[in-house]
Amino acid sequence: MHSLEAELWAVRDGLQLAINNQFAPICVEMDALAAIQLIMGPTQPRHSLSNIIHDCRYLMRQLGVEKIDHVYREGNKCADLLANMDFNDGLDFHIFDVAPDCIISDLCDDRNGVEYPRLLYDS
């Protein structure tokens, strides 16, 4: 599975989780601009990921979500940390009842509105 497909599955699974737990209204944010463009853009029925894209759109309608906001990786730090965690249990999908220790301080920073600078590198 390549990264774009993984991002789309993550959105789909998150939306389904929100529906299953009656979390509405919700705000959807992600740092994968290409995935946002596929979900929010015109329908491309021949796209290799069109089934997942269609699922995301359907679930968004169910939740009343009209858009997905793009945030830079620095603004999505907890999700980035979780995505890079090393899981050796063979599962592709994890639900945490309690936040893992590695993101507690970042969750507190997020709650308190701490902003991180966007790092740009010259090429």
Side-chain angles (χ1 to χ4, degrees):
M1 177 181 318
H2 55 79
S3 62
L4 180 58
E5 183 178 1
E7 293 284 355
L8 290 169
W9 274 110
V11 171
R12 188 222 169 271
D13 289 344
L15 293 167
Q16 187 63 61
L17 188 62
I19 288 172
N20 292 348
N21 289 282
Q22 300 176 349
F23 297 150
I26 64 168
C27 173
V28 180
E29 298 178 337
M30 63 187 306
D31 60 14
L33 190 54
I36 295 171
Q37 291 169 338
L38 283 173
I39 295 168
M40 300 306 298
T43 300
Q44 300 177 27
R46 295 177 195 246
H47 194 284
S48 63
L49 301 171
S50 63
N51 288 338
I52 302 170
I53 296 165
H54 175 76
D55 282 355
C56 291
R57 291 175 179 172
Y58 173 77
L59 295 170
M60 286 174 63
R61 282 193 303 275
Q62 297 290 357
L63 288 163
V65 174
E66 296 180 6
K67 65 179 182 153
I68 299 175
D69 292 319
H70 178 252
V71 294
Y72 291 103
R73 183 171 293 127
E74 293 84 358
N76 208 12
K77 197 168 181 184
C78 292
D80 194 49
L81 288 168
L82 288 171
N84 291 311
M85 285 179 67
D86 182 28
F87 297 106
N88 295 316
D89 55 16
L91 298 175
D92 291 330
F93 188 74
H94 291 81
I95 297 175
F96 298 97
D97 293 324
V98 176
D101 291 339
C102 67
I103 66 166
I104 295 294
S105 65
D106 293 294
L107 286 173
C108 290
D109 287 350
D110 190 38
R111 181 188 66 218
N112 293 323
V114 173
E115 295 181 6
Y116 296 94
R118 173 117 171 96
L119 303 175
L120 301 175
Y121 299 98
D122 291 329
S123 47

